Amino acid sequence: MSNSKKQFWWNNAQHRSLFFQVLLVALLVGFFWFIGSNTLTNLERRGISTGFGFLSQVSGFGIIQHLIPFDETYTFGRTFLVGLLNTLLVSAVGIVFATIIGVVVGVARLSNNWLIAKLAMVYIEIFRNIPLLLQMFFWYFAVLRTLPAPKQSWSAGDVIFLNIRGLYLPEPIFGPGFNFVFWALGLAIVTTLFISRWAKLRQEQTGKQFKTMTVGAGLIFGLPTIVFFLADASLSWNVPALKGFNFRGGITIIPEFTALLTALSIYTGAFIAEVVRSGIMAVNSGQTEAASALGLHKNRILKLVVIPQAMRVIIPQLTSQYLNLVKNSSLATAIGYPDLVAVFAGTTLNQTGQAIEVIAMTMGVYLFLSLSISAFMNWYNKKMMLVER
Amino acid sequence: MRKITWSIVAVVVALFISAGLAQASTKDEVQKRGYLQCGVSTGLPGFSNPDEKGTWTGLDVDVCKAIAAATLGDATKIKYVPLNAKERFTALQSGEIDALVRGTTWTLTRDSSLGLNFTGVNYYDGQGFLVSKKLGVKSALELDGAAVCIQGGTTTELNLADYFKEKKMEYKPVVFDTHDATAKAFDNGRCDVLTSDQSQLYGLRTHLSKPADAIVLPEVISKEPLGPVVRQGDDAWFNIVKWALNAMIEAEEMGVTQANVDEMKKSKNPGVRRLLGVDGIGGKGLGLNDDWAYQIIKQVGNYGEIFERNVGKGSPLQIERGLNALWSKGGIMYAPPLR
Ligand SMILES: N[C@@H](CCC(=O)N[C@@H](CS)C(=O)NCC(=O)O)C(=O)O
C-alpha cells in the first residue's frame, strides 16, 4: 500500500516553490495593475490629463544648452532627450574629474611630506562637510560675479574668450575629406590596442619589454596627420565674435555647466580621496616591504603590488560615489543648468501638468543609469579581483 | 525637487485612496480645521510678501484674506504656503492648499487639463522686460542675441520663445526654479534681460543692488490674467472663491469701503443692501453666513482699496490702475451682479 499512496504535487518541494513564485508574481502584477488603473480612473475623474500623447506636442520653450538640434518648435519628447544628454554630459565629465582629483588627493593624503598630507586633509574635510548645494551656489554666484562683462572679456589670442556669460571656444569646421582623418584615427587607436595586447603577451612569455606608449602615441598622432595632408582635407575654425550684447559662433561652455561640474567634481573628489586612501591602507605593509626587498622600484611597487590589491577595496566604494555624483547632478536646476530634472521634470512637467508620467520617466532614467553604472563597475571589479592560481 | 516629488506621491496616494469615495467638501474641511491654507508666492513685493515678523501682505494675500473672512468670518485665520512656479499646481492638486492665489496666469491648458479651475482675475497683467541701463536699449526689438533670465514652469518661458521667434531674434534662456536665483543671476550680470509679469518687475527692481541701473522696457508682449485657482470638482468651494473676489469688485463699484461699511448697512440703496446681506439671498446659495460680503469689506476692503494699498498710490510700486480699473472707469474689472 505504501507505494500507491498518491503523490500530491504540493508534496514536492520544487513544485511547491514554483507555485508560490508564480502566485507572488501574479499578485504583484495584479497589485500594480490595480493601482495603475485606479489612479488613471481617478485622474480622469478629476479632469487631469493622462497618457503619453504630450510627448509629441510642440514644447514651445527654449533650452540654452542642447547637444542635439533643438528650439521651441521641437516636441516635449525631444526635451526629454535634450535634458537626458545634458545630465549624461555633466555626469560623465564629473566622474572623470572627480576620479582624478580623488586619486591625486587620496595619494597626497598618505604622502610622507607633512605639508602635502595636511593640505590634502584640509581639502577633504572642507569639501566633504559643506553641503553640495551651498558649494554650487558659491561657485555659481560668488565666483561667477568676478568675471567680466562680455565687452570686457578676457581673451587668449583673440580666439578664446571668457566672460560672465561663459567660455567661448573656436569650433572646428571639418571640410570635405576630413572623414578620412577620422577613419585614420580610429584605425590608429585599434592598432595600438592590438599592439599593447601583443606586447603584454610577449613580455609574459619572453620577458622582453616593448615601448607601447611611444609607438602608440606616434601612431595616434602621426597617422591622422599624414592622412590629413594626403587626403587634402581642410579644416577651418568658426571663431566666436562679439556681436550685439554677446559672443556668437564657436562653442560656448555655459557657466551653469562649469559651476555644476566644479562643485560635483570637488565634492565627490573629496569622498573618492578617502576611498582611495582606505584602499591603499588596506594593503598590508608587508606586501610593500616584500616587494622592495625584491628590489622593485617604488613606482613599480605601486603599480604592480599596491594598486591591484587596493582596487579590490576601492571599486565597490567608488561605484557608490559615482552613483551619488549622477544623482547629485539633479541639483542642477538650482543654478539654472538644463539637466533632465530641470528641463523635463521641471518645465515640461509644468507646462503639460502630467506629473505622474513625467516623474515616472525621470525616475526610470535615474534607475537605469544607476543600474548601468553598478553593472559596469561589478564587471570591472570581477576583472580586477585577485586571480587565484 | 524633493518637495515636488512628495507632493506628487501625495497626489497618487490621494487618488488611490479616493477610489470610490466621494470628495470631501473643501468648505467643510476649512471650517472644521478653523483656518484656510492659501498658496502664495515666495515673496513678491505688492502681491504676496512676508515682512520680518512673517506677516504677509499684498494684493494676492488680500484675496486669501477675503476667502477666509467669507468662510470663517476671520481674515486672519490663514496659513500661507509659499510656492515657486513649479510647485504650485501639485500643491493644489494634492490638497496641501485650499486655494492658490499666486500671480497665476489663466490659460486653456491649465484650466482644462490640470484638474484645476480658475475662479476669476484679480490682476490683469502682461509680460515685460527689465534690462540694465548700460545696454542702452530702448525697445525689446533691440534684444537680438540677449541672454534672458527667467523662472521655469511659467507662461513667461513660453511667451518669450513665441516673441523672439516671431521677431526672428535669437536669445539664450537661463532658467531658474526660484525667484531669488533668477533675480540674483540678473543682478550679477549673467543676463542682459530679466523677463516676467510686468507688475513684478517694478517690485523686483527694488531688490537689485542698484535699482536705478535697471529700466523696464515699454513693450508688453502677452496677456497675463492672474487669478485664484481651486481644484476642479468642488463647485461649492469654486463659487465661494469666485464670489469673494466679485464682492470686493462690486463693493468698489457701489462705493462701499472698509471705513463706511457699517454705515452703509443702513443705506437705502437696494444693491448695497443686497451686497451686505441685509436683503436678498445673502449667503444661502454659498452656504455661508448672510454677512459674508460684509465681513470681507470690513476686514479686508473693497478692490480699489486693496489695489491702492498694495500696488497703487499707497505703495512704493505706484502702479496705475490701467486695465485693472473698474469697467465704468476705463478698465475691465467687472463683477456680475450680486443679486
Ligand atoms: N504669471 C506666470 C507666473 C510668473 C512667475 O511665477 N513669475 C515669477 C517672477 S520671477 C514669480 O512670480 N516668482 C515668485 C516666486 O517664485 O515666489 C505664470 O502663471 O506662469
Side-chain angles (χ1 to χ4, degrees):
Chain A
M1 267 310 270
S2 63
N3 262 10
S4 69
K5 190 177 168 204
K6 194 157 186 261
Q7 268 271 326
F8 287 106
W9 62 266
W10 55 80
N11 288 338
N12 181 324
Q14 225 176 349
H15 289 171
R16 215 165 42 216
S17 87
L18 189 71
F19 170 73
F20 281 118
Q21 287 179 40
V22 170
L23 187 69
L24 185 68
V25 169
L27 279 178
L28 273 178
V29 169
F31 176 69
F32 283 111
W33 179 82
F34 176 67
I35 290 195
S37 71
N38 213 335
T39 308
L40 284 185
T41 330
N42 280 296
L43 281 169
E44 230 148 85
R45 256 224 329 251
R46 287 211 181 174
I48 300 178
S49 307
T50 53
F52 288 93
F54 71 96
L55 289 174
S56 54
Q57 274 172 30
V58 167
S59 64
F61 63 92
I63 301 175
I64 189 167
Q65 177 185 300
H66 42 88
L67 301 180
I68 47 177
F70 183 84
D71 65 34
E72 60 282 343
T73 59
Y74 283 81
T75 61
F76 284 120
R78 187 78 166 193
T79 67
F80 173 77
L81 287 182
V82 170
L84 176 60
L85 288 174
N86 286 345
T87 290
L88 289 178
L89 178 71
V90 78
S91 304
V93 183
I95 283 178
V96 172
F97 282 164
T99 310
I100 295 173
I101 294 177
V103 170
V104 170
V105 176
V107 171
R109 179 89 166 77
L110 293 172
S111 163
N112 292 328
N113 181 322
W114 184 86
L115 187 65
I116 291 181
K118 281 290 171 276
L119 279 179
M121 188 188 85
V122 168
Y123 170 88
I124 291 170
E125 293 310 331
I126 288 184
F127 290 105
R128 211 170 48 151
N129 291 312
I130 297 177
L132 178 59
L133 191 60
L134 286 185
Q135 296 190 34
M136 279 165 43
F137 282 143
F138 171 76
W139 294 112
Y140 190 61
F141 288 115
V143 176
L144 183 71
R145 257 187 109 105
T146 58
L147 293 177
K151 294 220 168 67
Q152 286 87 37
S153 299
W154 296 329
S155 87
D158 268 345
V159 286
I160 297 176
F161 300 90
L162 177 67
N163 63 45
I164 193 160
R165 307 283 162 79
L167 177 64
Y168 295 81
L169 305 170
E171 180 189 14
I173 309 277
F174 303 113
F178 215 90
N179 43 353
F180 293 113
V181 180
F182 286 121
W183 283 110
L185 182 67
L187 187 68
I189 292 175
V190 173
T191 318
T192 310
L193 287 180
F194 273 111
I195 293 179
S196 97
R197 270 185 92 169
W198 164 82
K200 210 164 147 198
L201 268 178
R202 193 179 72 152
Q203 190 182 356
E204 268 166 23
Q205 283 162 4
T206 66
K208 279 196 205 138
Q209 291 192 2
F210 185 79
K211 291 204 161 42
T212 316
M213 282 287 244
T214 329
V215 174
L219 260 179
I220 288 173
F221 285 107
L223 196 58
T225 315
I226 296 170
V227 171
F228 177 80
F229 289 111
L230 283 186
D232 201 15
S234 69
L235 173 65
S236 56
W237 297 90
N238 176 3
V239 178
L242 188 61
K243 218 176 114 198
F245 320 116
N246 287 304
F247 281 87
R248 304 213 197 164
I251 298 173
T252 314
I253 298 179
I254 55 172
E256 290 74 26
F257 174 80
T258 316
L260 181 64
L261 178 67
T262 311
L264 283 175
S265 314
I266 288 185
Y267 178 78
T268 315
F271 286 92
I272 293 182
E274 284 295 271
V275 170
V276 169
R277 181 175 72 117
S278 70
I280 294 177
M281 289 193 11
V283 180
N284 194 327
S285 61
Q287 299 269 334
T288 327
E289 284 156 19
S292 63
L294 287 175
L296 278 180
H297 186 263
K298 233 177 152 180
N299 290 343
R300 307 286 296 168
I301 297 180
L302 203 63
K303 185 166 167 228
L304 297 174
V305 179
V306 179
I307 291 183
Q309 298 190 66
M311 282 312 247
R312 289 181 302 150
V313 181
I314 292 176
I315 292 174
Q317 298 186 59
L318 205 54
T319 310
S320 57
Q321 292 309 327
Y322 288 172
L323 295 183
N324 281 343
L325 189 142
V326 173
K327 286 180 280 184
N328 284 338
S329 74
S330 65
L331 290 171
T333 167
I335 56 167
Y337 178 72
D339 80 325
L340 183 68
V341 170
V343 169
F344 192 65
T347 300
T348 295
L349 188 162
N350 242 272
Q351 304 300 3
T352 62
Q354 299 201 274
I356 294 177
E357 291 84 352
V358 169
I359 293 294
M361 282 174 75
T362 311
M363 291 199 307
V365 164
Y366 281 96
L367 189 65
F368 177 77
L369 284 182
S370 297
L371 292 179
S372 310
I373 294 179
S374 293
F376 174 78
M377 294 300 275
N378 283 342
W379 166 82
Y380 188 58
N381 197 21
K382 282 233 178 65
K383 222 181 106 169
M384 295 304 284
M385 265 195 315
L386 273 200
V387 188
E388 312 257 351
R389 279 184 243 240
Chain B
M1 178 58 203
R2 186 164 300 158
K3 203 165 166 188
I4 302 184
T5 312
W6 279 116
S7 309
I8 288 164
V9 170
V11 172
V12 175
V13 171
L15 287 166
F16 182 51
I17 294 175
S18 74
L21 293 177
Q23 258 173 38
S25 130
T26 310
K27 186 195 102 193
D28 293 345
E29 235 167 67
V30 171
Q31 288 178 336
K32 206 163 85 209
R33 195 192 304 126
Y35 61 90
L36 173 78
Q37 290 172 331
C38 205
V40 292
S41 81
T42 57
L44 285 174
F47 289 85
S48 39
N49 204 25
D51 65 12
E52 315 81 50
K53 293 198 218 80
T55 317
W56 287 83
T57 51
L59 189 67
D60 285 346
V61 165
D62 281 344
V63 173
C64 295
K65 287 185 178 167
I67 301 169
T71 331
L72 300 162
D74 187 344
T76 62
K77 294 250 159 52
I78 304 179
K79 184 178 148 211
Y80 294 100
V81 182
L83 297 165
N84 70 34
K86 286 180 181 173
E87 296 160 343
R88 56 187 159 171
F89 299 122
T90 21
L92 185 57
Q93 289 166 333
S94 67
E96 193 185 336
I97 54 177
D98 305 310
L100 174 72
V101 198
R102 182 208 165 279
T104 299
T105 306
W106 187 348
T107 68
L108 172 63
T109 308
R110 290 173 177 178
D111 209 1
S112 64
S113 65
L114 300 186
L116 305 176
N117 277 335
F118 283 78
T119 67
V121 176
N122 68 328
Y123 189 95
Y124 289 96
D125 211 337
Q127 184 173 335
F129 297 102
L130 183 72
V131 301
S132 156
K133 264 189 195 155
K134 271 187 295 200
L135 285 186
V137 166
K138 294 269 164 334
S139 149
L141 293 170
E142 300 165 47
L143 291 177
D144 192 15
V148 186
C149 283
I150 10 170
Q151 193 165 347
T154 56
T155 48
T156 319
E157 219 178 343
L158 306 175
N159 298 328
L160 180 71
D162 282 358
Y163 183 78
F164 275 76
K165 186 174 168 52
E166 191 197 324
K167 302 285 183 238
K168 299 202 172 52
M169 301 193 295
E170 278 177 37
Y171 72 105
K172 299 271 174 217
V174 189
V175 184
F176 298 92
D177 61 358
T178 66
H179 180 53
D180 278 347
T182 317
K184 204 151 146 198
F186 174 72
D187 209 9
N188 275 354
R190 171 66 183 93
C191 303
D192 303 297
V193 185
L194 188 156
T195 179
S196 179
D197 297 342
Q198 206 179 32
S199 62
Q200 301 174 359
L201 296 177
Y202 295 97
L204 232 157
R205 196 172 61 165
T206 60
H207 281 306
L208 298 178
S209 51
K210 290 199 204 86
D213 283 359
I215 53 164
V216 176
L217 295 180
E219 281 89 353
V220 173
I221 65 163
S222 69
K223 292 189 286 189
E224 307 289 327
L226 311 179
V229 198
V230 294
R231 276 182 295 281
Q232 190 170 314
D234 187 346
D235 292 357
W237 181 245
F238 174 76
N239 282 342
I240 291 174
V241 175
K242 174 169 59 183
W243 285 97
L245 177 59
N246 283 338
M248 292 199 282
I249 299 171
E250 182 82 345
E252 182 184 8
E253 194 174 340
M254 302 220 161
V256 184
T257 65
Q258 204 168 7
N260 72 11
V261 63
D262 284 310
E263 229 173 279
M264 284 297 217
K265 256 191 157 168
K266 289 174 233 133
S267 159
K268 297 256 150 32
N269 180 330
V272 173
R273 292 174 71 84
R274 276 194 297 268
L275 172 66
L276 300 180
V278 186
D279 295 336
I281 184 173
K284 269 170 222 75
L286 296 176
L288 299 173
N289 294 337
D290 283 342
D291 68 346
W292 64 274
Y294 165 84
Q295 294 298 346
I296 294 178
I297 302 160
K298 175 82 187 162
Q299 299 183 36
V300 190
N302 70 32
Y303 183 78
E305 290 178 293
I306 65 169
F307 188 98
E308 299 300 355
R309 172 185 343 139
N310 293 304
V311 300
K313 295 199 191 71
S315 81
L317 299 182
Q318 297 287 327
I319 299 177
E320 296 288 328
R321 283 295 288 270
L323 278 183
N324 294 297
L326 290 181
W327 63 284
S328 49
K329 305 239 173 79
I332 54 175
M333 272 293 165
Y334 184 105
L338 268 83
R339 67 183 315 146

